Amino acid sequence: TRARVDWHARMAASARALEPLQAEAEALAQALHETGAAAIALQGEHARLQQALSVSEAERRELSEQKSIAVAARNFKEAGRISASLKALASDEAARAEHKERVAAQTETMRVALKVLSAERAEAEAAVASGERRRDLRLHALLLTRLADAVRALSDLSHGDGGNGARAVGDGDGAGAGEADDGDCAADVCPPATPASDAMAAEGEARLLLTAHRNSLFQQAMVLRERLGLEELTEQMALPPPRGAGSDAAA
């Protein structure tokens, strides 16, 4: 139906309006994940460099003691070899220390980036949540309007049954009674349906369809109200305003 097509069109338009915000939030979440992984890797590298420097320092102290012993023993050849080892070790330590400083600076940069990304992601997610709530509020208002229309249509149909429907049933009963009294029409040859019974069947089918439509709208509105944190929808809330209430209020 046209109402169903309009409903799906509104849902699609709402989804499209939220797509840029959702894409931004997802991109920030991905960037936050990648930056966090890089920061963890840098912290691990910093810890390994620190451990290597600690081992190197212990080795350097031990070599210095060995050199002192070699010099005291006038073993200059061994002392020279140890001196070369100490020089190479000192060069390695300087390179590791410089690398450690760079890693520390990069880690600090990552920490700042994580804070910025985390704040931006929170803002983006808040914008998505706000957009979703505005969408749900609009859809909720539309559902309530259509629910009231469905309830009014059911009410109008019931009032129609009370007048035309009862009159149609009465006319049919009267005609049937007259024919039975005259004996002109046997039950097995009389027409199976009359215009009145056809109208009643059509009204009954319309009532079933309207009731199913109303129940579907009611359930959808209840789901939206729960998501929006609103009070539970009641049958009374779904009733349309009395006819003429708007004009009376305006007057």
Side-chain angles (χ1 to χ4, degrees):
T1 64
R2 185 172 60 185
R4 185 181 297 275
V5 171
D6 179 60
W7 172 261
H8 286 299
R10 288 173 181 264
M11 292 289 290
S14 298
R16 286 194 299 272
L18 286 173
E19 282 178 358
L21 292 175
Q22 291 170 337
E24 181 183 1
E26 291 173 0
L28 287 169
Q30 181 64 24
L32 188 62
H33 174 75
E34 293 175 355
T35 304
I40 291 173
L42 285 171
Q43 287 178 338
E45 186 176 2
H46 186 274
R48 287 191 297 272
L49 287 168
Q50 181 61 47
Q51 184 178 8
L53 284 170
S54 298
V55 172
S56 180
E57 183 180 359
E59 185 178 356
R60 179 166 47 80
R61 287 197 300 266
E62 182 178 352
L63 287 174
S64 295
E65 292 178 1
Q66 292 177 2
K67 180 182 176 181
S68 298
I69 295 173
V71 171
R74 301 183 66 81
N75 189 347
F76 300 114
K77 182 178 180 180
E78 180 64 15
R81 185 189 67 78
I82 295 174
S83 293
S85 297
L86 283 170
K87 185 177 180 180
L89 192 60
S91 178
D92 289 343
E93 283 183 356
R96 287 195 181 101
E98 184 180 354
H99 189 190
K100 178 187 170 185
E101 289 180 1
R102 289 198 302 270
V103 169
Q106 291 173 353
T107 303
E108 185 60 29
T109 301
M110 289 294 183
R111 288 197 184 99
V112 174
L114 283 171
K115 290 180 180 179
V116 173
L117 286 171
S118 181
E120 290 179 350
R121 180 190 180 188
E123 291 178 2
E125 289 179 343
V128 170
S130 177
E132 289 176 342
R133 182 171 179 82
R134 290 194 301 271
R135 174 203 62 192
D136 288 347
L137 285 171
R138 288 194 297 268
L139 294 178
H140 176 258
L142 179 62
L143 277 174
L144 289 187
T145 299
R146 292 187 173 175
L147 180 57
D149 291 342
V151 172
R152 184 182 292 110
L154 274 172
S155 177
D156 292 345
L157 189 60
S158 298
H159 291 150
D161 288 345
N164 299 333
R167 189 158 48 250
V169 172
D171 292 342
D173 290 343
E179 291 169 357
D181 289 343
D182 293 341
D184 294 336
C185 181
D188 56 348
V189 297
C190 285
T194 65
S197 62
D198 288 342
M200 291 177 61
E203 289 177 359
E205 183 177 358
R207 185 180 294 105
L208 287 175
L209 291 173
L210 275 172
T211 301
H213 180 56
R214 179 202 62 186
N215 293 343
S216 174
L217 291 171
F218 192 87
Q219 291 298 324
Q220 292 179 63
M222 285 183 64
V223 170
L224 273 178
R225 290 179 73 85
E226 181 178 358
R227 193 157 67 202
L228 290 166
L230 302 176
E231 61 179 317
E232 186 174 350
L233 184 65
T234 64
E235 293 284 352
Q236 189 65 28
M237 294 178 185
L239 292 177
R243 295 185 182 277
S247 58
D248 294 343

